[in-house]
C-alpha cells in the first residue's frame, strides 16, 4: 500500500493559513480539454554571482558556501562541507515564495564533492506551524557521485498552515560533502476541469461507489472540483495512518484527517478509513518495550503491544465512527512465501494472530456502523489470494468480525489481465464477504529501465484497454463488489513517481492538467446500462453543483514483491477477426451520432451513440461504416470491432446487445490512428438498414 504526497490562496509573508469554512465545491462551467500552459519559474539559483543566494545551513557547524571548484552550468555551484549529521545541508526559505495549494516542481542538480565517491541524497521540505515541525520528502533517495551531476526532481503541494517553510537537501546517511547547482522552483498554471463530461459517480450509480485516495492538497481549487464532480467516496491516503494520527504515544494529530472528513461531509461522499494496522508507517515507539528498547517476543510485550493497538483504534476509530463507512482494519498481512502465509512483521512476531483478532474486535466495538476489511496487494496472484482466503476463512470460523476483503489492484499496462482479475474476485465468493477494489492504478511502464516525460499514445491506449478489462470484471461482480477506489486523483501526483524508481508515471484516469484521458473514456464505456442505455462520453452532461487532506517521508509501496507482469493482454482489448453480434439481427430504424471527442497528431478518440427510432427493440446489433482517409481503429470499448481496409464493423458487447424501442440507445467509444485528414463517416448501417445522422 503506497504513500501519497501532495493550488488556492496566496501565501502571506510570514504566515500561511488554511480555512475550512466552505468545503462544498461548486463546479464552474468549462468544456473540452485545454492545452497545457507552459511552466512558470518562480525561483532559480545558479550561484553565478558568487553568493549563496539565500541558501543557509540547517545545522550549526556545517559550511554552506559558493564554490568555483565544479559547476553544472557556468562556473560556480553551492558546496556544503563540514557536516556532522546526515540532516545537515543547504536550506532555502520559501514561505514568501510559494502559493498554498499550488503543486510546484522542485529541481536541483547535485554531485558528491571530490573524493566522496557515491552518496545517497534526497530533497525534502520542512514545514512548521506554531512550534510543531513536519518533514516531507520531495525526492526520494538518489545516488550521486563525484564524477558527474545528477538531477533531483519532484513535486510538492503546501496545503497546510505554516509559519515556516523551506526546502533542503541532505544525505540519507553519513556526512559526505556535496555540491548543488541550478535549483529551480516552477509550476504549471491550473487548467479548469471539464464539467461537460459524465461524472464517474453518476455513471456507476447503479454499480458501486467510485472513490479516490487523497491528501489535503486534493481538496483545494481545481483538484477539489475534480474530486467533487467525479467521486462519491474518498480514502485518506496517509492522514489516518498511525504515523499521521499518533506520532507520539497518546498525542493525536487530527488536522489532515478532519479536513478530508469535512470535505466528504460537505460533498455527500463516503469515507474509507485507512488503516489501523500496517507493518509500515507505524512509529518506532509502538514496538518499543516498557524500557524504550525494541520488543522481543515475551508475554509482557505482547500484552503491552495489544494494549497500545486497542487504545489507538479506540481513539481513531471512535473519532470517525459516524463518518467512516469502511475500515481497512489490517493491511498487507499475507506473505505467500511463508508456509502459513503470514507476514513475519513485528506485529506477528510479538503477538501471533492476536493482533488481527484484537484489531477487528475493537474496531467493531468503536465503529459498529463501518464494514471491516482485510486489505492486501497481488491478490490476483493465486498463491497470494489462496493464503488470504485461508486466513479469512479461519478468522470467520473463530467469530472474528471480518466483513470484507480489499484488493489493492496495482497493475500496469500488461498485468493483471481481465481473466486474472476475474479469478481474484471469484475466489472469495464462497466466503460470502464483501469485496472492494481499494488502491487501483495502472502504470504505463513494464520495466524499471523505461522513462517518459510525456506518455506515448500507444501506452495510453494500452492503459485504457487495461482499465476497461478490469471494469468489465467489476461490473460482472457488482453484486459482490461494494466499492472501487483509485489510488490518487490525477497524474499530477502519484506514488508511482517515486516507486519503484524515480520517474514520471501517468497511472490514473485524469492527466497532469486534470483532463480526462483515454482511460477515463474506456471506464465510461464499461459502465452499466441504465433504462435508457449506457452512459455515453458524448452525452450531454450539464454541470450540477455537488451537495450543500501528510505524506510519509519513506514510501513503502504495496506493489513490492509483485510478480513479473504477464505479457498477455485482456481479450476484451483485442480486435475480433470475425465479429458478430449476439442474438438475432432484425432490420432497424436508427439514428447515429458520431463524435470526435479528442484528437492529437497521430490519433483520435471517437464516440458513437446509436438510437433506435423504431417501434421494436433491437436484439443484437452490428453497425457498419467506411472511413474516407485511411483511419485505422486500434481499440474500442463497450463493443467489439473489426476492420477490413476502410470498412469498419462494430458489434455489441455482451451487456448492451439490446437497444430498446422508441428512443433506446447504445453507445461505444474507440481509439483510432489517422494521418493528413480525419473526415467523419457520412453513412452508417445498423443490421443492414441505413441510419440517419445526428
Amino acid at each position: 500500500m503506497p504513500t501519497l504526497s501532495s493550488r488556492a490562496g496566496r501565501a502571506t509573508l510570514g504566515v500561511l493559513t488554511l480555512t475550512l469554512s466552505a468545503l462544498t465545491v461548486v463546479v464552474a462551467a468549462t468544456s473540452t480539454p485545454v492545452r497545457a500552459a507552459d511552466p512558470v519559474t518562480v525561483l532559480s539559483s545558479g550561484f553565478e554571482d558568487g553568493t549563496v543566494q539565500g541558501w543557509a545551513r540547517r545545522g550549526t557547524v556545517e559550511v554552506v558556501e559558493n564554490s568555483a571548484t565544479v559547476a553544472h552550468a557556468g562556473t560556480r555551484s553551492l558546496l556544503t562541507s563540514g557536516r556532522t549529521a546526515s540532516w545537515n545541508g543547504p536550506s532555502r526559505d520559501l514561505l514568501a515564495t510559494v502559493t498554498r495549494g499550488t503543486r510546484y516542481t522542485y529541481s536541483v542538480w547535485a554531485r558528491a564533492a571530490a573524493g566522496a565517491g557515491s552518496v545517497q541524497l534526497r530533497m525534502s521540505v520542512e514545514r512548521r506551524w506554531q512550534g510543531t515541525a513536519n518533514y516531507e520528502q520531495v525526492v526520494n533517495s538518489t545516488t550521486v557521485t563525484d564524477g558527474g551531476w545528477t538531477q533531483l526532481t519532484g513535486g510538492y503541494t503546501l496545503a497546510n498552515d505554516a509559519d515556516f517553510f523551506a526546502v533542503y537537501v541532505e544525505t540519507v546517511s553519513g556526512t559526505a560533502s556535496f555540491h548543488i547547482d541550478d535549483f529551480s522552483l516552477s509550476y504549471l498554471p491550473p487548467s479548469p476541469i471539464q464539467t461537460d463530461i459524465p461524472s464517474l459517480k453518476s455513471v456507476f450509480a447503479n454499480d458501486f461507489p467510485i472513490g479516490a485516495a487523497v491528501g489535503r492538497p486534493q481538496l483545494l481549487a481545481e483538484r477539489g472540483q475534480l474530486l467533487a464532480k467525479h467521486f462519491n467516496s474518498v480514502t485518506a491516503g496517509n492522514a489516518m495512518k498511525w504515523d499521521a494520527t499518533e506520532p507520539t504515544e497518546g498525542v493525536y494529530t487530527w488536522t489532515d484527517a478532519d479536513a478530508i472528513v469535512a470535505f466528504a461531509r460537505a460533498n455527500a461522499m463516503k469515507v474509507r478509513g485507512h488503516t489501523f494496522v500496517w507493518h509500515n508507517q507505524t512509529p518506532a515507539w509502538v514496538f518499543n518495550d516498557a524500557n524504550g528498547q525494541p520488543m522481543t517476543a515475551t508475554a509482557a510485550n505482547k500484552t503491552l503491544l495489544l494494549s497500545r493497538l486497542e487504545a489507538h483504534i479506540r481513539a481513531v476509530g471512535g473519532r470517525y465512527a459516524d463518518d467512516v463507512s469502511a475500515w481497512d482494519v489490517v493491511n498487507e498481512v499475507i506473505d505467500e512465501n511463508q508456509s502459513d502465509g503470514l507476514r513475519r512483521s513485528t506485529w506477528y512476531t510479538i503477538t501471533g494472530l492476536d493482533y488481527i483478532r484484537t484489531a477487528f474486535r475493537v474496531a467493531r466495538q468503536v465503529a459498529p456502523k463501518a464494514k471491516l476489511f482485510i486489505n492486501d496487494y497481488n491478490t490476483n496472484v493465486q498463491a497470494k489470494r489462496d493464503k488470504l482466503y485461508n486466513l479469512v476463512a479461519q478468522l470467520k470460523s473463530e467469530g472474528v468480525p471480518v466483513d470484507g476483503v480489499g484488493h489493492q489492484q496495482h497493475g500496469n499496462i500488461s498485468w493483471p489481465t481481465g481473466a486474472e482479475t476475474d479469478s481474484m474476485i471469484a475466489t472469495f465468493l464462497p466466503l460470502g464477504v464483501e469485496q472492494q477494489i481499494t488502491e487501483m492504478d495502472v502504470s504505463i511502464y513494464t520495466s524499471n529501465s523505461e522513462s517518459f516525460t510525456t506518455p506515448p499514445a500507444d501506452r495510453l491506449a494500452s492503459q485504457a484497454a487495461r482499465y476497461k478489462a478490469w471494469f468489465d470484471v467489476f461490473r460482472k461482480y457488482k453484486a459482490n463488489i461494494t466499492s472501487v477506489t483509485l489510488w490518487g486523483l490525477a497524474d499530477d501526483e502519484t506514488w508511482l513517481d517515486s516507486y519503484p524508481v524515480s520517474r514520471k508515471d501517468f497511472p490514473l484516469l485524469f492527466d497532469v492538467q486534470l483532463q480526462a484521458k483515454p482511460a477515463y473514456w474506456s471506464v465510461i464505456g464499461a459502465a452499466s446500462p441504465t433504462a435508457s442505455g449506457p452512459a455515453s462520453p458524448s452525452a450531454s452532461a450539464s454541470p450540477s453543483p455537488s451537495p450543500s487532506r501528510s505524506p510519509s517521508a519513506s514510501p513503502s509501496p504495496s506493489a513490492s514483491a509483485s510478480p513479473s507482469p504477464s505479457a498477455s493482454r485482456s481479450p476484451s482489448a483485442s480486435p475480433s477477426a470475425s465479429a458478430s453480434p449476439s442474438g438475432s439481427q432484425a432490420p432497424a430504424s436508427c439514428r447515429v451520432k458520431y463524435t470526435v471527442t479528442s484528437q492529437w497528431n497521430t490519433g483520435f478518440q471517437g464516440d458513437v451513440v446509436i438510437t433506435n427510432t423504431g417501434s421494436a427493440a433491437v436484439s443484437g446489433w452490428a453497425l457498419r461504416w467506411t472511413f474516407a482517409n485511411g483511419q485505422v481503429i486500434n481499440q474500442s470499448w463497450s463493443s467489439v470491432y473489426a476492420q477490413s481496409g476502410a470498412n469498419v464493423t462494430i458489434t455489441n458487447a455482451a451487456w448492451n446487445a439490446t437497444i430498446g424501442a422508441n428512443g433506446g440507445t447504445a453507445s461505444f467509444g474507440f481509439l483510432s490512428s489517422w494521418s493528413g485528414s480525419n473526415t467523419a463517416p457520412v453513412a452508417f448501417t445498423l443490421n443492414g438498414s441505413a441510419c440517419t445522422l445526428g
Side-chain angles (χ1 to χ4, degrees):
M1 175 203 51
T3 60
L4 282 173
S5 61
S6 275
R7 262 175 295 245
R10 166 64 61 182
T12 60
L13 295 177
V15 177
L16 286 170
T17 58
L18 178 65
T19 62
L20 297 173
S21 58
L23 283 167
T24 300
V25 174
V26 178
V27 180
T30 62
S31 170
T32 54
V34 297
R35 175 189 174 275
D38 294 326
V40 176
T41 299
V42 297
L43 180 68
S44 60
S45 300
F47 308 110
E48 294 302 301
D49 62 357
T51 74
V52 297
Q53 297 185 348
W55 291 78
R57 65 189 183 192
R58 298 188 70 223
T60 59
V61 296
E62 77 267 36
V63 177
V64 175
E65 60 185 339
N66 193 287
S67 170
T69 304
V70 293
H72 171 253
T75 61
R76 312 190 74 86
S77 64
L78 190 72
L79 171 66
T80 302
S81 59
R83 303 169 63 245
T84 60
S86 61
W87 57 269
N88 292 168
S91 174
R92 181 63 159 84
D93 187 345
L94 299 177
L95 184 64
T97 305
V98 299
T99 299
R100 189 187 65 249
T102 296
R103 182 168 177 82
Y104 290 92
T105 297
Y106 293 71
S107 176
V108 70
W109 291 86
R111 69 181 288 165
S118 178
V119 179
Q120 289 282 311
L121 294 183
R122 60 189 174 202
M123 181 163 49
S124 302
V125 293
E126 178 180 358
R127 171 178 56 85
R128 302 179 200 154
W129 176 245
Q130 297 178 346
T132 300
N134 291 272
Y135 307 93
E136 300 165 296
Q137 281 190 19
V138 177
V139 182
N140 289 334
S141 304
T142 304
T143 301
V144 303
T145 70
D146 56 7
W149 291 89
T150 300
Q151 188 177 27
L152 282 64
T153 302
Y156 179 77
T157 305
L158 178 62
N160 297 74
D161 300 339
D163 47 30
F164 175 87
F165 182 71
V167 63
Y168 60 94
V169 181
E170 63 182 344
T171 54
V172 177
S173 62
T175 58
S177 301
F178 59 88
H179 296 262
I180 65 169
D181 199 5
D182 293 328
F183 171 85
S184 69
L185 181 70
S186 62
Y187 71 94
L188 285 173
S191 298
I193 71 164
Q194 299 155 277
T195 58
D196 59 352
I197 62 176
S199 298
L200 291 169
K201 63 185 180 184
S202 298
V203 170
F204 291 99
N206 296 325
D207 300 321
F208 32 67
I210 189 83
V214 300
R216 203 166 180 183
Q218 282 71 44
L219 310 182
L220 305 177
E222 291 83 9
R223 291 173 176 176
Q225 294 169 13
L226 187 72
L227 180 63
K229 172 175 171 56
H230 286 286
F231 298 95
N232 52 9
S233 174
V234 291
T235 298
N238 280 299
M240 291 185 182
K241 292 175 183 172
W242 201 315
D243 62 346
T245 55
E246 193 184 5
T248 303
E249 186 167 12
V251 179
Y252 292 91
T253 301
W254 308 113
T255 305
D256 288 355
D258 280 356
I260 292 173
V261 169
F263 186 95
R265 285 179 186 164
N267 292 282
M269 295 174 159
K270 293 179 178 290
V271 180
R272 295 195 78 259
H274 182 80
T275 175
F276 287 139
V277 185
W278 191 27
H279 60 277
N280 285 323
Q281 290 186 249
T282 303
W285 67 262
V286 177
F287 301 123
N288 287 339
D289 63 21
N291 297 317
Q293 298 302 308
M295 285 182 172
T296 56
T298 67
N301 283 338
K302 177 177 179 177
T303 299
L304 178 59
L305 185 55
L306 292 179
S307 69
R308 288 173 175 169
L309 174 60
E310 178 166 352
H312 178 78
I313 295 176
R314 289 194 180 280
V316 180
R319 184 176 183 86
Y320 300 115
D322 292 333
D323 296 287
V324 172
S325 62
W327 272 105
D328 291 329
V329 177
V330 295
N331 189 61
E332 298 178 6
V333 301
I334 297 298
D335 179 356
E336 65 271 34
N337 297 311
Q338 300 290 339
S339 59
D340 59 5
L342 298 172
R343 181 185 293 276
R344 294 317 194 250
S345 65
T346 305
W347 289 109
Y348 180 83
T349 59
I350 302 299
T351 76
L353 277 181
D354 284 344
Y355 79 98
I356 298 178
R357 298 181 178 111
T358 298
F360 276 96
R361 173 181 61 80
V362 178
R364 174 65 83 225
Q365 292 174 4
V366 302
K369 300 177 184 177
K371 293 301 181 72
L372 307 181
F373 282 78
I374 184 169
N375 189 50
D376 222 313
Y377 63 92
N378 284 356
T379 51
N380 37 59
V381 178
Q382 183 174 358
K384 184 75 171 271
R385 67 171 174 261
D386 286 351
K387 294 294 176 61
L388 179 58
Y389 179 99
N390 292 338
L391 175 60
V392 175
Q394 176 186 341
L395 294 172
K396 288 184 69 65
S397 71
E398 296 174 357
V400 178
V402 181
D403 295 319
V405 171
H407 307 282
Q408 293 185 7
Q409 197 74 358
H410 296 292
N412 64 31
I413 57 174
S414 65
W415 175 88
T417 64
E420 290 167 326
T421 302
D422 192 298
S423 295
M424 175 185 78
I425 302 299
T427 293
F428 291 90
L429 296 180
L431 289 177
V433 294
E434 292 187 14
Q435 299 186 61
Q436 295 190 352
I437 309 303
T438 59
E439 303 184 17
M440 178 175 51
D441 47 30
V442 179
S443 172
I444 67 168
Y445 300 111
T446 58
S447 77
N448 291 349
S449 62
E450 298 177 320
S451 181
F452 303 110
T453 56
T454 301
D458 64 329
R459 297 291 175 113
L460 295 181
S462 295
Q463 182 184 66
R466 184 64 46 221
Y467 269 115
K468 179 197 181 312
W470 294 357
F471 269 86
D472 282 348
V473 174
F474 302 159
R475 285 189 56 256
K476 174 182 175 181
Y477 291 105
K478 65 181 182 179
N480 311 100
I481 294 175
T482 56
S483 179
V484 173
T485 295
L486 291 116
W487 199 253
L489 177 65
D491 288 346
D492 64 329
E493 185 166 352
T494 167
W495 72 290
L496 289 171
D497 286 348
S498 59
Y499 180 85
V501 296
S502 293
R503 62 190 173 187
K504 184 59 192 168
D505 209 329
F506 307 87
L508 297 164
L509 303 183
F510 301 94
D511 65 18
V512 295
Q513 289 294 101
L514 312 184
Q515 308 297 293
K517 295 165 57 180
Y520 161 86
W521 295 111
S522 73
V523 167
I524 291 294
S528 288
T530 62
S532 60
S536 163
S538 67
S540 175
S542 302
S544 58
S546 302
S548 149
R549 164 183 155 173
S550 72
S552 166
S554 55
S556 179
S558 314
S560 59
S562 61
S564 299
S566 167
S568 63
R569 296 182 60 181
S570 166
S572 62
S574 303
S576 171
S578 57
S580 61
S582 59
S584 61
Q585 291 188 55
S589 177
C590 50
R591 182 172 67 250
V592 171
K593 181 178 181 180
Y594 175 101
T595 306
V596 174
T597 58
S598 64
Q599 181 170 298
W600 52 98
N601 56 354
T602 60
F604 71 96
Q605 180 175 306
D607 175 82
V608 178
V609 180
I610 307 167
T611 301
N612 179 7
T613 58
S615 59
V618 174
S619 180
W621 52 266
L623 184 72
R624 294 179 171 87
W625 73 79
T626 300
F627 278 128
N629 308 121
Q631 300 97 322
V632 176
I633 293 178
N634 50 53
Q635 179 201 340
S636 73
W637 48 91
S638 300
S639 61
V640 179
Y641 77 90
Q643 185 167 354
S644 177
N647 299 316
V648 176
T649 300
I650 304 288
T651 56
N652 58 268
W655 55 269
N656 64 354
T658 299
I659 310 178
N662 301 316
T665 64
S667 65
F668 61 88
F670 63 89
L671 296 177
S672 176
S673 60
W674 71 287
S675 178
S677 298
N678 185 22
T679 305
V682 296
F684 298 85
T685 63
L686 183 69
N687 294 351
S689 297
C691 300
T692 60
L693 303 181

